[in-house]
Amino acid sequence: MRSVTKAAPYRPDASGRRFDRAARTALAIAGALLSLAGIVLAIGGYLSPLNGSAFQMLAGAGLIVSGALVSRRHRAGVWTYMLVFAGTVSWSLRNIEAGSALALRLVGPTLLLVMMGALTPLLFRWRPREALTVFTLLVALTVGLGVSSLPNGPLAHQTAAVSRFLDATAEGVLQ
């Protein structure tokens, strides 16, 4: 009689399961924080008659979507946040002459960017060195886009048109 051996099903060891559970928990908490920040930003942009703008409502919606995607462990959450961050940098640099300090506009988004950079290896299953390389490249491209949208930059006319559109839309919605 021949005995038939069956292959044992693969089961990750206990440390691998704990790491997966911890990664899921970290992504869920980070997604909830992003969504909460987006809700606050969107409501503040809508309710504030003096400082509210359509850009704040759009950025808030982008943060809500990004947070929902991150909490569901989708890679698109990182890309969505990078688009929101690029828009925020461009908008902040374009409206620098409006009187508010640039640092105050970019502190919060930069902290969220650092958080997203820390979560990138978990979402993409990259090694930390690969994640750092891609993250650095994306930050450099974002800052380059922001600098090119300065009043004397090559994208000045396009960003001015978008800013005027968003401001006109906000005036119509907020009044």
Side-chain angles (χ1 to χ4, degrees):
M1 233 178 169
R2 291 177 33 195
S3 68
V4 178
T5 58
K6 293 183 179 179
Y10 172 73
R11 292 184 184 161
D13 59 346
S15 65
R17 285 186 299 231
R18 275 188 243 126
F19 177 78
D20 287 341
R21 191 175 324 134
R24 283 194 309 266
T25 304
L27 290 172
I29 291 170
L33 286 174
L34 274 172
S35 294
L36 181 64
I39 290 168
V40 169
L41 186 62
I43 290 173
Y46 181 73
L47 293 179
S48 175
L50 299 175
N51 296 329
S53 75
F55 176 77
Q56 290 174 334
M57 290 185 281
L58 289 173
L63 286 177
I64 292 168
V65 169
S66 178
L69 290 170
V70 166
S71 65
R72 290 177 168 236
R73 298 183 307 272
H74 286 281
R75 297 175 182 176
V78 173
W79 302 119
T80 305
Y81 183 74
M82 288 303 293
L83 286 174
V84 170
F85 185 76
T88 302
V89 169
S90 297
W91 180 73
S92 297
L93 289 174
R94 181 66 194 166
N95 294 322
I96 203 167
E97 57 203 32
S100 66
L102 181 64
L104 292 176
R105 289 183 178 189
L106 294 179
V107 167
T110 303
L111 290 175
L112 291 176
L113 182 70
V114 169
M115 180 183 73
M116 292 302 282
L119 295 175
T120 302
L122 295 175
L123 284 169
F124 288 91
R125 302 197 189 275
W126 287 340
R127 293 185 189 110
R129 183 178 297 166
E130 293 170 332
L132 181 65
T133 302
V134 171
F135 184 72
T136 304
L137 179 64
L138 288 174
V139 168
L141 288 172
T142 301
V143 171
L145 175 69
V147 169
S148 66
S149 66
L150 283 170
N152 295 331
L155 297 176
H157 297 296
Q158 291 85 353
T159 55
V162 170
S163 294
R164 280 192 300 272
F165 172 74
L166 289 175
D167 289 341
T169 304
E171 288 175 10
V173 169
L174 298 175
Q175 292 183 14

